[in-house]
Amino acid sequence: MDRWLVVGLGNPGPEYAGNRHNAGFMVADELAARIGGRFKAHRSRAEVLEGRVAGAPAVLAKPLSYMNLSGGPVKALADFYKVDPARVIAVHDELDIPYGALRAKLGGGDNGHNGLKSITKSLGTRDYLRLRFGIGRPPGRMDPAAFVLRDFATAERKDLPFLVDRAADMVESLITSGLEATQNAFHSADLKLSGPPR
């Protein structure tokens, strides 16, 4: 059975842990908790955990290179574990999707996301799976670069565990059921936020 490579994108270090940009790390941590394993340092400049996700052999990874250089570790891991790009799932924050929405897709552009830009360049293809964790647009005139490096707001944090859990479900679904079935099952069920409208 071919192996999967599930990459949660984020920035290493405690000061970034709660940032919107670290949604991918949060989902990777949830998947690690489900399979009862711990991440270990790997020579590819990533933390990795080998195990079975939804019954399939998989490697969970969190690049330690900082977001804009994620491609190097991802390419090194894909080569090391002999994983085809079509079996790579990148989990990342997405400004163009409202908070509470999760989307899966194959290929496409990077929408200005430096982690995706780096992965596409290093893999030499756009044709890998993405799980897009909606974080919404920054308020007012705030610079998107500053917004993604802020922690989730108090109202958002109330719903964050549910969203991370659901995103982990989607990764499992991509592995067991494929892209189209995952889109059909999950895209219609965006979270209706419990806080006031923003």
Side-chain angles (χ1 to χ4, degrees):
M1 198 180 206
D2 285 344
R3 205 190 306 245
W4 290 83
L5 174 58
V6 180
V7 183
L9 297 184
N11 287 309
E15 70 271 33
Y16 297 108
N19 288 181
R20 293 181 175 91
H21 225 16
N22 274 40
F25 273 19
M26 296 173 193
V27 176
D29 286 339
E30 169 61 24
L31 288 163
R34 291 184 182 190
I35 64 179
R38 294 174 69 102
F39 284 97
K40 295 187 175 67
H42 189 271
R43 68 186 192 199
S44 62
R45 286 186 306 145
E47 290 186 339
V48 303
L49 170 59
E50 297 177 47
R52 298 183 87 78
V53 174
V59 178
L60 300 177
K62 298 193 292 185
L64 298 178
S65 58
Y66 291 98
M67 180 67 86
N68 59 344
L69 299 172
S70 300
V74 173
K75 174 79 164 90
L77 288 167
D79 289 348
F80 182 84
Y81 289 105
K82 299 180 173 53
V83 177
D84 186 86
R87 297 178 81 83
V88 172
I89 303 173
V91 186
H92 64 92
D93 59 304
E94 176 60 72
L95 285 161
D96 287 339
I97 299 175
Y99 184 74
L102 301 165
R103 296 285 182 268
K105 73 171 192 171
L106 172 68
D110 53 51
N111 278 9
H113 194 289
N114 289 329
L116 294 179
K117 201 176 293 185
S118 178
I119 291 171
T120 296
K121 186 176 178 192
S122 294
L123 290 179
T125 180
R126 294 176 170 185
D127 293 334
Y128 52 93
L129 291 158
R130 297 98 182 274
L131 198 158
R132 307 158 79 203
F133 193 109
I135 60 170
R137 303 297 304 180
R141 296 183 175 181
M142 187 191 289
D143 179 4
F147 179 71
V148 299
L149 293 176
R150 295 266 178 99
D151 285 3
F152 285 99
T154 308
E156 293 171 332
R157 281 201 290 272
K158 195 164 39 182
D159 297 306
L160 190 56
F162 170 81
L163 283 171
V164 169
D165 191 60
R166 189 167 176 79
D169 290 346
M170 285 181 75
V171 171
E172 293 180 348
S173 175
L174 284 169
I175 288 171
T176 57
S177 306
L179 178 61
E180 192 175 342
T182 299
Q183 290 171 332
N184 290 339
F186 288 88
H187 282 195
S188 60
D190 293 348
L191 173 66
K192 301 299 176 264
L193 293 176
S194 48
R198 286 172 299 119

